[in-house]
Amino acid sequence: MKSRTAPSGPAATPPLWHSLASDAVFATLSSSPAGLSDTEAARRLADVGANEFAVTPVTPWWRVLLRQFISPLIAILLVAAIVSLLQEHYVDSVAIMLILAINAALGFVQESKAERDVRALQSFSAPYCRVVRDGTERVLPGRDLVPGDVVLLESGERVPADLRLFASNALQVDESMLTGESFAATKHTDPLAENVVDADKTNVAFSGTFVGSGRGRGVVIATGADTALGEINTLIQVPSTQTPLQLLTRSLERRIGAAVLGALVFIFIAGIGLGHDAATLFRTAVALAVATIPESLPIVLTVALSVGVSRMAKRNAIIRILPAVETLGSTNVIGSDKTGTLTENQLTVERVWTTAGLLNIVSDDDDGGTKDPTLVRAVLRAGALTNEATLSAEEGNDEYSGDAVDAAMAKVAVDRGSITVRERTAPAVAHQPYEPQLRYSQTIHADEHGRRILYVKGSPEAILAASAAVAQEGGDGPLDESLIHAANVEMGAEGLRVIATGSRVVGDDERLVLPLPPPSGLTFLGLEGMTDPPRDGVAEAIRRCQQAGITVKMITGDHPVTATAIAERLGLASGKQALTGAEMTGLDDHMLSARLAETNVAARVSPEDKLRIVRVLQSTGQIVAVTGDGVNDAPALKAAAIGVAMGRSGTDVAREAADLVLTDDNFVTIVHAVEEGRVTFAAIRKTTFFLLSTGAAALVAVTLSVFAGTPLLFLPVQMLWMNVVTNGVQDIALAFEPAEGDELTRPPRPRSEGLLSRTLWFRAGITGAWMALAVLLSFIVELHAGSSEVHARTVALTIFVMLSFFQVFSARAEHKSLFQLRLLANKPLLYTSLGALLAHWAVMTWPVSAQLLGLTPLTAWEWLLCIGVGSTVLIIVEAEKAVRRWSRRHHPDTDET
């Protein structure tokens, strides 16, 4: 993230506030610890503007709505609807208009969410803050802050602007929403090196973060758009990218629209040349357009995606935008935040070191502490007594609140029986809380023998300097600093935060002095190593992602050592050093792409860095999903093909920028979402295959009949009925097709592959051609046999209905045989298909409908003939599948796409 600037006046080079001493900061800003005068503050407010974010003007709703109708397929359907209305085919006209309305509504909702993203981000601005003006403390609206104002901070307050701190008393700020750090940042006032990243700017408090504990004072160095949060606001207002499904659907619509228009114009002109009636040909063209164009495809997409949404909701994944269901299924890279996503976002003590050795207290053979060595129990007890964490008052809740380190040490000691809750909460004789500049806390407690015991915990260096001996199994021994130092380095290299403990007996003759003097003469007890542990099941989820051909990359603002340690535990380590934000500044996009190909960990990255990583991955053809929970994740969430936010711990900004929200904040849920996404896309693909093959069959059959010189194969009203009975509801029912079971054993669909694979295009071609040929031949045979045109059309139409009946069932599986699937696995498809046959039989039998449609009843023998011809399409598909399965077994490297 670039250096913050103060918009208080022109400057050739923006000041590096973190590298300046406090006096220099005040001098540069023409301010002082007494703050600005009201007059000067008003002048600066008029100059730089309010401390709030600029919002990009929102596109008018009517323009967003009109954009949803810019499509060749939509244009054709609009014409068909208008012509149907003019011809008084009201049902068809209303149905087409309804389809168009649903499709437009989905797109409208997709684009309208951009404004909500910005509104959510603005909620992080502090409404009021405490400011020093003219040497007097007062409360002002946060929007009135200007560079040079002096702001007071206390525990529980939100930082109202970017501040350069000049006074700090045990000040700790939770910056996880910006930096991804697991630990609260301890703040001080000393100048820093010029090239430190935002996460290491310990003398700066950033706008929107929370003060966890302590107090401080800072001078405003940036407001509004110039703050860290303001830059994220700018990044998040980039346009959302279209999902792969949307791109594929638009491409297919253009191809279908061009093909159908060309064919209809050709049929009309050729028909006129062959002597057919122009009015009849025009009505035929309109009816054929309705029968051929898969106008139900938008509804099928909606239904399939909605079914996917319902299935995913049952697995703790909430979809905000319907196309995201499929997008996650086609993702081949997941860029995941670490803190709170891959990890618990809660510190846990994992290792305890004493002179007896290193104990892993979270190992598989952990006995819960009942057999912990005496030395380990002493370490845990000391950590729990010099401690300010409080146990939740809620019954049955054993969680601790307060400083994350204190909470972790208190919990492990109580859980393992090293100390009881009553002992831990007993009043201390004396207590000195942790001070960052001292790097230790200490407390005096009375033991069961009435002795006063001084317990101290803090940095290993501070405790070691105050120690005179080290605890051993047989009693205190001589202090071995090299041994302790080696243990500290080893635990730190594993990404653990290391805290040391020590103790000594306070003599009866020692007078208690408050505040407590610096500790001395301690017995060094040992070390506690803690970290934010991986969530249960995440390692297995990552393994399943890798099995499914999905690369998982950790992208975090946390320290590289910590990130790498967690990555190794999760199976993400690639053997290469973690990429860092500082390293990225020296890499162009090509070099960054190569670096990303060799590592799965990016650490100490800013929001701009994370956004750049996403864009570079996408530029190489990857379909990228990004997970996150903080404000710092929002730009990348919005720019990715799909953003996945945490529902429990996530910020409103992250959730509003995301397409998918995990209600359990669990990365494991993403694997379930991937599976459901692939199931959903498979259902869309199967339905599209069915619609295209039957539509192509109708188009080819009618076209050939025009050139064959026969009477019209189907009357316009018959083609409208054919559209209803062959795919009016079966295609929608096909969208309910469940999983086949092998979704996570296949690699992601290649991005170059369209909505249909080459296999399905080939299958649609051969089955569509056969269906067209079978229908036309049956019509010609019936005419040559002396049947009337009415009877011949009835036989041809019924054969087309039966061909579509068997085709929809063959479409249930792309590779498996239909006979390997359970017949009742998709009950809606079975019932709607049988219902369509019954409806067709009914309209042929009832004299009124038969006369209206120009049909006549068929004999039982003729029905058997139609069923037999119709089943041939199933035989063709099953034979083609069998050949492909044989080919895969004997030539496994063959490309089957």
Side-chain angles (χ1 to χ4, degrees):
M1 188 175 290
K2 67 183 182 183
S3 300
R4 311 283 162 238
T5 62
S8 58
T13 302
L16 299 175
W17 302 110
H18 61 278
S19 66
L20 301 178
S22 299
D23 291 343
V25 173
F26 279 118
T28 305
L29 291 169
S30 300
S31 183
S32 72
L36 302 172
S37 66
D38 287 334
T39 302
E40 175 61 16
R43 186 192 69 78
R44 295 189 183 191
L45 184 63
D47 183 31
V48 304
N51 178 32
E52 56 189 13
F53 305 141
V55 179
T56 302
V58 179
T59 305
W61 67 268
W62 56 267
R63 186 174 297 175
V64 176
L65 184 61
L66 285 179
R67 275 206 295 260
Q68 312 313 313
F69 294 92
I70 303 176
S71 162
L73 187 57
I74 298 299
I76 295 174
L77 290 177
L78 277 171
V79 172
I82 294 172
V83 173
S84 297
L85 182 64
L86 295 176
Q87 292 184 333
E88 300 183 353
H89 296 292
Y90 301 117
V91 174
D92 296 282
S93 180
V94 170
I96 296 172
M97 287 295 187
L98 182 61
I99 293 168
L100 296 177
I102 294 175
N103 189 55
L106 291 175
F108 181 78
V109 171
Q110 165 77 11
E111 294 193 39
S112 297
K113 82 182 187 77
E115 185 178 4
R116 296 197 302 271
D117 299 344
V118 178
R119 285 203 303 267
L121 188 59
Q122 289 179 310
S123 68
F124 279 83
S125 301
Y128 292 95
C129 55
R130 293 181 300 125
V131 181
V132 176
R133 290 265 178 95
D134 286 322
T136 304
E137 180 182 331
R138 63 185 71 176
V139 176
L140 295 177
R143 69 185 306 276
D144 291 343
L145 285 181
V146 295
D149 263 327
V150 172
V151 176
L152 283 66
L153 299 175
E154 280 192 1
S155 177
E157 293 181 339
R158 193 190 295 273
V159 179
D162 283 0
L163 311 176
R164 171 62 167 89
L165 300 170
F166 64 89
S168 174
N169 182 8
L171 181 64
Q172 291 193 313
V173 180
D174 180 1
E175 298 179 340
S176 60
M177 67 178 226
L178 282 174
T179 66
E181 277 280 12
S182 306
F183 314 112
T186 300
K187 297 295 184 178
H188 60 75
T189 61
D190 299 332
L192 302 170
E194 292 185 357
N195 60 347
V196 299
V197 297
D198 278 7
D200 293 329
K201 291 179 181 176
T202 51
N203 57 12
V204 175
F206 294 108
S207 176
T209 58
F210 278 99
V211 178
S213 60
R215 298 177 302 280
R217 292 191 176 209
V219 57
V220 176
I221 55 176
T223 60
D226 293 311
T227 64
L229 201 62
E231 288 190 4
I232 293 176
N233 175 67
T234 301
L235 294 174
I236 203 174
Q237 296 189 64
V238 298
S240 299
T241 58
Q242 284 192 317
T243 68
L245 180 61
Q246 290 172 318
L247 294 173
L248 292 176
T249 303
R250 296 287 186 271
S251 174
L252 184 63
E253 286 177 348
R254 288 192 295 269
R255 295 165 68 181
I256 293 175
V260 171
L261 269 180
L264 294 182
V265 171
F266 184 74
I267 289 173
F268 184 80
I269 295 175
I272 294 293
L274 294 173
H276 290 285
D277 178 63
T280 302
L281 279 174
F282 184 79
R283 290 180 57 232
T284 299
V286 171
L288 188 58
V290 176
T292 303
I293 291 178
E295 73 273 11
S296 59
L297 186 57
I299 286 185
V300 169
L301 292 176
T302 303
V303 171
L305 294 172
S306 298
V307 170
V309 166
S310 177
R311 290 171 177 167
M312 291 172 71
K314 295 176 182 178
R315 306 180 82 170
N316 301 312
I318 303 300
I319 291 295
R320 299 184 67 250
I321 302 299
L322 281 181
V325 181
E326 179 276 330
T327 305
L328 192 55
S330 61
T331 295
N332 49 22
V333 176
I334 297 177
S336 176
D337 186 29
K338 178 185 74 69
T339 305
T341 307
L342 298 175
T343 64
E344 296 282 359
N345 197 18
Q346 179 178 348
L347 286 183
T348 301
V349 176
E350 296 196 344
R351 287 171 175 72
V352 176
W353 178 90
T354 65
T355 53
L358 184 65
L359 176 66
N360 181 5
I361 64 174
V362 292
S363 62
D364 294 336
D365 58 351
D366 182 18
D367 56 20
T370 58
K371 296 180 182 180
D372 280 346
T374 302
L375 293 179
V376 171
R377 295 168 70 86
V379 173
L380 298 181
R381 183 180 179 86
L385 285 174
T386 174
N387 196 296
E388 295 183 279
T390 57
L391 183 63
S392 172
E394 183 180 345
E395 185 176 353
N397 189 341
D398 61 351
E399 297 300 321
Y400 288 83
S401 59
D403 179 77
V405 171
D406 281 356
M409 298 181 82
K411 181 173 176 59
V412 69
V414 173
D415 288 351
R416 299 184 72 83
S418 296
I419 192 173
T420 65
V421 173
R422 177 174 293 182
E423 289 177 307
R424 204 194 73 79
T425 56
V429 176
H431 177 69
Q432 180 182 16
Y434 178 83
E435 294 287 350
Q437 62 271 27
L438 298 177
R439 298 194 299 166
Y440 63 78
S441 63
Q442 55 182 339
T443 186
I444 296 177
H445 282 266
D447 68 4
E448 66 272 17
H449 304 295
R451 298 180 302 172
R452 294 180 299 173
I453 309 295
L454 171 67
Y455 295 99
V456 187
K457 84 169 191 299
S459 71
E461 294 80 9
I463 305 303
L464 190 60
S467 298
V470 65
Q472 296 179 343
E473 289 183 340
D476 293 352
L479 194 65
D480 187 343
E481 294 189 13
S482 62
L483 178 67
I484 296 172
H485 177 71
N488 181 34
V489 171
E490 179 183 355
M491 295 172 72
E494 296 179 3
L496 300 176
R497 182 169 185 176
V498 184
I499 303 295
T501 59
S503 69
R504 73 174 178 87
V505 178
V506 179
D508 294 337
D509 58 342
E510 289 188 54
R511 187 167 62 90
L512 188 62
V513 177
L514 297 177
L516 293 173
S520 62
L522 299 177
T523 295
F524 192 96
L525 297 176
L527 305 171
E528 292 187 54
M530 60 194 71
T531 189
D532 181 10
R535 288 179 174 272
D536 289 340
V538 167
E540 171 63 17
I542 289 175
R543 188 192 65 78
R544 295 187 69 191
C545 283
Q546 293 167 341
Q547 182 184 35
I550 301 170
T551 300
V552 180
K553 294 184 180 294
M554 179 192 296
I555 307 174
T556 178
D558 214 341
H559 195 280
V561 174
T562 305
T564 301
I566 293 295
E568 290 176 348
R569 295 175 60 176
L570 293 174
L572 281 178
S574 58
K576 295 291 185 178
Q577 188 174 0
L579 172 70
T580 65
E583 180 186 354
M584 287 178 60
T585 59
L587 303 176
D588 59 26
D589 287 353
H590 179 73
M591 297 168 66
L592 178 57
S593 177
R595 189 72 173 85
L596 289 169
E598 64 181 20
T599 184
N600 290 326
V601 180
R604 270 295 188 260
V605 295
S606 67
E608 292 97 335
D609 294 332
K610 189 168 185 176
L611 179 60
R612 184 185 173 201
I613 289 173
V614 171
R615 288 175 172 168
V616 167
L617 288 171
Q618 289 177 327
S619 70
T620 62
Q622 308 293 331
I623 298 178
V624 182
V626 169
T627 74
D629 58 356
V631 174
N632 61 319
D633 299 312
L637 289 172
K638 190 173 180 64
I642 178 170
V644 184
M646 304 299 109
R648 290 182 180 177
S649 61
T651 60
D652 288 341
V653 177
R655 286 191 289 268
E656 287 295 331
D659 307 288
L660 173 67
V661 177
L662 306 182
T663 60
D664 58 357
D665 287 13
N666 197 336
F667 183 86
V668 177
T669 304
I670 297 177
V671 179
H672 301 156
V674 168
E675 182 179 12
E676 292 298 344
R678 293 187 175 186
V679 171
T680 299
F681 183 80
I684 294 172
R685 168 173 275 184
K686 294 167 185 176
T687 305
T688 304
F689 158 74
F690 169 68
L691 290 173
L692 289 182
S693 60
T694 53
L699 188 63
V700 171
V702 173
T703 302
L704 291 178
S705 71
V706 171
F707 284 96
T710 66
L712 285 177
L713 177 60
F714 298 126
L715 300 177
V717 68
Q718 291 173 341
M719 281 186 281
L720 293 175
W721 169 249
M722 180 174 65
N723 182 61
V724 172
V725 79
T726 58
N727 55 36
V729 284
Q730 297 96 314
D731 50 355
I732 296 175
L734 192 56
F736 287 86
E737 190 64 29
E740 295 181 40
D742 60 348
E743 282 74 19
L744 291 181
T745 62
R746 300 193 300 264
R749 186 184 74 257
R751 189 166 189 174
S752 58
E753 185 176 276
L755 195 58
L756 294 185
S757 64
R758 289 205 303 264
T759 296
L760 289 181
W761 274 116
F762 174 79
R763 189 175 299 161
I766 61 171
T767 56
W770 168 246
M771 292 167 68
L773 186 61
V775 170
L776 183 59
L777 286 177
S778 65
F779 181 63
I780 294 174
V781 168
E782 285 293 328
L783 290 177
H784 287 175
S787 298
S788 65
E789 291 184 14
V790 172
H791 187 80
R793 289 192 180 104
T794 302
V795 171
L797 181 59
T798 304
I799 286 178
F800 192 91
V801 169
M802 295 308 309
L803 286 165
S804 298
F805 174 85
F806 286 103
Q807 179 75 325
V808 75
F809 281 98
S810 73
R812 289 185 58 198
E814 184 174 352
H815 302 293
K816 288 185 176 181
S817 167
L818 171 63
F819 304 105
Q820 291 179 283
L821 305 180
R822 292 188 303 111
L823 180 63
L824 296 179
N826 190 343
K827 293 181 181 178
L829 180 62
L830 178 62
Y831 298 154
T832 55
S833 298
L834 292 175
L837 291 183
L838 182 62
H840 185 64
W841 171 82
V843 299
M844 292 167 54
T845 305
W846 189 36
V848 175
S849 58
Q851 183 177 3
L852 179 65
L853 293 177
L855 300 175
T856 184
L858 299 180
T859 65
W861 169 251
E862 288 172 328
W863 266 104
L864 288 175
L865 177 65
C866 292
I867 293 173
V869 174
S871 65
T872 57
V873 71
L874 180 59
I875 297 172
I876 292 173
V877 172
E878 286 296 316
E880 186 250 355
K881 289 180 182 179
V883 170
R884 289 186 182 276
R885 289 195 297 269
W886 178 89
S887 177
R888 282 197 301 273
R889 286 195 301 268
H890 291 80
H891 305 284
D893 296 331
T894 302
D895 183 7
E896 284 294 327
T897 60

